[in-house]
Amino acid sequence: MIANYGYKDGSGEYYISIDTDKCIDCAAERACLKACPQQMFEIITDDYDDEVAWVKKEKTRALAYDCAACKPAGGYTSLPCTSACTPGAIKHSW
Amino acid sequence: MNAEVAAATAAPEKKEFWRWQENTWFDETKNWKDAKIITCGIDVGSVSSQAVLVCDGELFGYNSMRTGNNSPDSAKNALQGIMDKIGMKLEDINYVVGTGYGRVNVPFAHKAITEIACHARGANYMGGNKVRTILDMGGQDCKAIHCDDKGKVTNFLMNDKCAAGTGRGMEVISDLMQIPIAELGPRSFDVDVEPEAVSSICVVFAKSEALALLKAGYTKNKVIAAYCQAMAERVVSLLERIGVEEGFFITGGIAKNPGVVKRIEKLLGIKQLETKIDSQIAGALGAALFGYTLMQKQAAK
């Protein structure tokens, strides 16, 4: 399942997509949890009883702001979350 | 000031134009006492609450009503509304699943499941196994969902940041125009020329813009048409992000508004699959069906 967390508003589309099929058998031992400086992710049991990462509910409406520090303007060449997620389950839309 | 602007800006009448039809239905050809497994789905949304009863995996009855200011009470009232009609008690129900915005506040639920999974499951029942793309136009959010032939979610996207393109937005326009909400859709087609969509992306600003259009000489029907078009454009842009596959289905209260639905179909170039079941109960129906599957799994152990 591709789960998209985020929103679209007048300034653009801000979604973090998590491919739960890749996330279920995580080869990176849930490295996304520690890699994100903003602690955006947590592990939940989804509706189909799979343990997967998701973006915390309270974080979904502020992605543009919370993720800004990890974007190139913040001095990063790659996003810590996507780099840490070796299964390639995490993607950003912007 | 023209008459329509004066009517819209005057002190509101006590009549609640936004108030949609609450609804109770049950299958009179069947007796729930004959069922081996009775499951219930309770969808406590931000605007409406539904209780659906499923007997041996088949829809038996439902109650749809306005959500009050207390989620547990809304859940109880929704279920009580259908149980009273058929002489059922809570003890007669084998399993209850809560879903929707207030799903964790259903006091008698055995399990809570997200409305995303439940709408997909409900749409699969209502529209058949050809359903692949679901647009759930809820009271205060909008979701685009892809599912497989069993109703399992494969992709989803939710916009809950603003009320544009939601049922609450339509209620606001209904009250502003002082036209019953059920009449908005049909009246939106009663225009000589289809107007441009309302441009504001926010319900609050759209309300101001609707008033400005009335002031500029638009008829009420033309303003409603402009608003329906705006709602359609907003949800289509949401759908386009995950793509639209054949087997399109709309759930939620707005699915009953042809003014929005026809415009969505026109923008997408695709017709939605039809159903005879009330689109507003999709989430609660899916929840009840999840409950039935869980009961079957337990019985098989």
Side-chain angles (χ1 to χ4, degrees):
Chain A
M1 176 171 73
I2 310 291
N4 297 276
Y5 302 102
Y7 62 93
K8 177 181 178 180
D9 67 11
S11 66
E13 288 186 6
Y14 307 99
Y15 290 103
I16 290 178
S17 303
I18 299 176
D19 184 337
T20 58
D21 292 336
K22 291 178 180 173
C23 188
I24 291 167
D25 300 315
C26 181
E29 296 180 345
R30 312 295 186 186
C32 59
L33 298 184
K34 288 181 182 170
C36 175
Q38 299 289 334
Q39 299 178 321
M40 308 277 281
F41 303 98
E42 64 182 347
I43 303 300
I44 56 144
T45 302
D46 73 7
D47 295 324
Y48 305 104
D49 291 331
D50 294 318
E51 282 197 356
V52 295
W54 82 333
V55 178
K56 291 175 185 170
K57 185 77 179 164
E58 67 271 20
K59 298 282 189 182
T60 56
R61 295 183 182 189
L63 291 186
Y65 309 101
D66 287 341
C67 292
C70 295
K71 295 290 180 180
Y76 282 87
T77 50
S78 65
L79 293 162
C81 58
T82 56
S83 300
C85 178
T86 52
I90 300 174
K91 285 190 173 64
H92 285 221
S93 70
W94 77 108
Chain B
M1 193 181 286
N2 69 34
E4 290 200 331
V5 179
T9 53
E13 290 177 28
K14 289 203 173 172
K15 194 170 175 187
E16 294 172 307
F17 293 94
W18 56 264
R19 194 170 279 282
W20 37 269
Q21 182 71 49
E22 297 184 339
N23 204 3
T24 307
W25 172 90
F26 67 95
D27 189 343
E28 293 179 24
T29 65
K30 292 176 184 168
N31 187 345
W32 61 267
K33 289 177 182 169
D34 296 335
K36 289 177 184 162
I37 298 174
I38 299 172
T39 57
C40 174
I42 308 269
D43 182 354
V44 183
S46 54
V47 166
S48 70
S49 295
Q50 288 83 29
V52 168
L53 292 170
V54 160
C55 293
D56 294 333
E58 296 291 327
L59 172 63
F60 176 75
Y62 63 82
N63 183 35
S64 174
M65 56 183 288
R66 182 97 186 160
T67 297
N69 54 11
N70 177 307
S71 292
D73 283 349
S74 297
K76 282 179 203 166
N77 293 340
L79 181 55
Q80 202 63 52
I82 177 67
M83 288 198 305
D84 286 349
K85 291 241 171 172
I86 59 176
M88 183 185 274
K89 292 179 182 167
L90 189 58
E91 306 86 84
D92 296 318
I93 301 171
N94 300 103
Y95 204 90
V96 181
V97 175
T99 188
Y101 173 80
R103 63 183 174 276
V104 294
N105 290 318
V106 179
F108 41 87
H110 297 90
K111 188 180 174 75
I113 296 178
T114 68
E115 62 271 35
I116 296 158
C118 289
H119 271 270
R121 188 72 186 271
N124 173 272
Y125 183 95
M126 291 163 73
N129 59 9
K130 287 181 181 172
V131 172
R132 290 291 180 278
T133 306
I134 301 147
L135 175 64
D136 169 30
M137 299 180 78
Q140 284 186 11
D141 64 29
C142 197
K143 302 172 201 77
I145 304 164
H146 274 184
C147 69
D148 64 16
D149 61 345
K150 292 184 172 62
K152 185 177 179 182
V153 178
T154 54
N155 194 343
F156 75 83
L157 185 72
M158 174 158 71
N159 190 349
D160 63 353
K161 200 176 184 193
C162 78
T166 67
R168 183 62 198 136
M170 193 53 85
E171 287 179 359
V172 166
I173 290 299
S174 174
D175 255 8
L176 184 71
M177 296 292 123
Q178 300 200 341
I179 292 172
I181 198 160
E183 292 177 22
L184 293 183
R187 285 186 65 155
S188 75
F189 298 116
D190 194 10
V191 290
D192 296 331
V193 181
E194 187 74 11
E196 286 288 314
V198 173
S199 60
S200 296
I201 58 162
C202 168
V203 163
V204 180
F205 295 139
K207 190 176 171 181
S208 305
E209 194 171 341
L211 271 175
L213 289 174
L214 284 177
K215 199 174 176 183
Y218 271 44
T219 62
K220 281 187 178 181
N221 291 355
K222 206 168 172 182
V223 174
I224 294 164
Y227 193 77
C228 287
Q229 181 66 22
M231 287 190 80
E233 288 179 9
R234 276 166 212 150
V235 296
V236 164
S237 78
L238 190 78
L239 274 171
E240 282 172 345
R241 169 141 185 86
I242 65 166
V244 180
E245 293 176 25
E246 285 285 339
F248 176 54
F249 196 78
I250 305 177
T251 62
I254 299 285
K256 294 188 236 182
N257 182 324
V260 178
V261 171
K262 298 283 180 198
R263 286 175 172 87
I264 292 170
E265 289 178 338
K266 192 176 175 187
L267 286 167
L268 293 175
I270 188 171
K271 291 260 180 201
Q272 74 153 335
L273 295 169
E274 290 186 3
T275 182
K276 289 178 180 172
I277 303 170
D278 186 337
S279 60
Q280 218 166 352
I281 68 158
L285 174 58
L289 292 168
F290 265 112
Y292 178 65
T293 305
L294 287 165
M295 287 299 294
Q296 281 185 311
K297 276 185 187 172
Q298 280 181 14
K301 280 180 185 173

